[in-house]
Amino acid sequence: MIDAASSVRLVDQYCHGVLRTELGLGTFETYLGPAAGAPPASGTTFFDTQTGFAVRRWCPPLLGLEPHCPPAHYLARRRELGVVEAGRRLLRGTGIATYLVDTGLPGDLAGPAELAAAGAAQAREIVRLELLAEQVADTSGTVESFLANLAEAVHGAAGSAVAFTTVAAGRLADRPEPPGPGEVRGAAGRWLTGRRMGDPLTDPVLLRHLLWAALATGLPLQLHIGVQDPMPLTGFAAATAGLGTDLVLLHGYPHHRSVAQLAGAYPHVYADLGPALGQTGARAAAVLAEILELAPFGKLLFSSGARGLPELHVVGARSFRDALGRVLGGWVADGAWSRGDAERVATMLAAGNAERVYGLTG
């Protein structure tokens, strides 16, 4: 282990807000499982996952309990403290100094200002492009007004947000280039004609138009990889090279090695370290070591990827620190790295790279 890993300041470069409401066991468990939010199979529990075990390892001491206490005891203590106090203790136990918050998910989630207050930290907003377009469509009556209002909304969001994010990465493989004006107008007309208020944006032409409009602002663009192979994005990475806009590939586990490879291949492409480390729990050090084999250290950014539960912010931060200390500390002990270099790289991964990419002050 190296001391810097346990104390280094963190910038959580991608996360969501926490729930404002008290949770029962069943609802709490769904947030420990896959992102789809399905319940565990009958007779099983999502506490019996690497994430569930990591919650039981890192979170109970922050609420005055022993590590690895039974889930029922933990949730009882959580209810005793109340959702506000429990959230405050958990978030302040992460060591996260700045949260970059995607505000594009539905639900009763705290916004950036609330998260910052609870965690005694700073927070900035990440704007989800699909939601922005859907909100514009809800108030635009014609194709011309929709496209004009959309351009204005993207420009306006760029004035206050720290980045844009999108879940449309999978639609960029076949045609990464921006669509032409006529193609965009035709797609907008078809989408608006058949759309009901609240319908999501799925049209591939409009999504490509939206992404390229965001790229023109110069803000970093985060691309959700999910569990898909990121290599089909090679064309989009090549098409956007030289624009002066950075791409950040989010998540990507179990294809984390391919994500790291893309980050190493293109100067403007960066790789997200989370929430793979939180998902892999006790194996997080092995996953981190694999990523560090392929990507330059200046291209990797910490995040928790947390959504809903402050426990997931804790797991993301503590798993990252623990994995970083084990991996870099092992290399220092072996004589492969100097302690000074290990501490410098730890600072880069934890906060420095994110501060540079997003224009944050250190």
Side-chain angles (χ1 to χ4, degrees):
M1 299 287 286
I2 58 170
D3 294 338
S6 61
S7 60
V8 68
R9 184 172 52 88
L10 300 178
V11 172
D12 189 344
Q13 69 102 27
Y14 183 82
C15 67
H16 302 279
V18 299
L19 289 162
R20 300 186 179 99
T21 52
E22 201 69 70
L23 301 178
L25 174 61
T27 305
F28 188 96
E29 276 202 66
T30 63
Y31 285 88
L32 302 180
S42 177
T44 71
T45 170
F46 283 146
F47 272 102
D48 285 340
T49 59
Q50 288 284 12
T51 302
F53 272 46
V55 166
R56 292 176 54 214
R57 176 187 184 183
W58 299 115
C59 296
L62 297 175
L63 303 189
L65 299 172
E66 291 296 318
H68 307 294
C69 71
H73 291 180
Y74 177 78
L75 292 177
R77 175 59 173 164
R78 202 180 191 273
R79 288 191 296 271
E80 178 187 351
L81 290 170
V83 65
V84 174
E85 177 61 16
R88 186 187 71 83
R89 293 189 184 193
L90 290 164
L91 291 173
R92 295 188 181 195
T94 63
I96 293 172
T98 304
Y99 297 93
L100 307 188
V101 187
D102 176 358
T103 56
L105 287 185
D108 188 23
L109 299 175
E114 295 171 272
L115 199 64
Q122 297 181 349
R124 299 286 301 276
E125 182 181 15
I126 300 167
V127 170
R128 185 170 291 218
L129 288 169
E130 290 87 345
L131 179 61
L132 185 68
E134 291 153 16
Q135 292 171 337
V136 170
D138 288 341
T139 58
S140 300
T142 66
V143 169
E144 290 73 19
S145 66
F146 168 69
L147 293 176
N149 293 340
L150 183 60
E152 183 177 350
V154 171
H155 178 76
S160 58
V162 73
F164 290 109
T165 192
T166 177
V167 295
R171 300 178 182 272
L172 298 170
D174 296 331
R175 297 186 64 185
E177 72 283 352
E183 193 178 2
V184 172
R185 283 193 297 271
R190 291 189 298 272
W191 184 57
L192 293 174
T193 298
R195 182 180 185 271
R196 295 173 297 179
M197 184 171 290
D199 283 353
L201 174 59
T202 58
D203 183 272
V205 173
L206 287 181
L207 287 169
R208 284 165 45 225
H209 169 70
L210 185 60
L211 267 60
W212 280 93
L215 286 167
T217 70
L219 283 189
L221 176 61
Q222 300 175 336
L223 303 173
H224 287 252
I225 304 301
V227 296
Q228 305 301 314
D229 181 359
M231 296 313 289
L233 284 175
T234 300
F236 186 68
T240 54
L243 295 179
T245 300
D246 292 325
L247 305 179
V248 183
L249 307 183
L250 295 179
H251 313 335
Y253 185 81
H255 298 286
H256 52 288
R257 294 177 67 90
S258 295
V259 171
Q261 186 176 353
L262 274 178
Y266 294 93
H268 67 305
V269 177
Y270 291 78
D272 176 34
L273 289 172
L277 303 187
Q279 291 175 341
T280 51
R283 288 283 296 166
V287 174
L288 177 61
E290 290 181 347
I291 296 172
L292 292 173
E293 291 174 7
L294 291 162
F297 309 135
K299 306 294 290 297
L300 302 172
L301 297 84
F302 160 75
S303 83
S304 68
R307 175 180 64 95
L309 302 180
E311 284 83 357
L312 298 180
H313 291 278
V314 174
V315 166
R318 295 295 182 95
S319 296
F320 170 74
R321 290 181 188 277
D322 184 69
L324 194 65
R326 291 179 183 277
V327 172
L328 301 192
W331 293 344
V332 170
D334 290 342
W337 284 33
S338 71
R339 179 169 295 275
D341 280 340
E343 292 175 347
R344 181 172 58 84
V345 171
T347 301
M348 290 165 57
L349 271 57
N353 293 338
E355 288 167 347
R356 185 181 72 255
V357 171
Y358 297 106
L360 307 173
T361 56

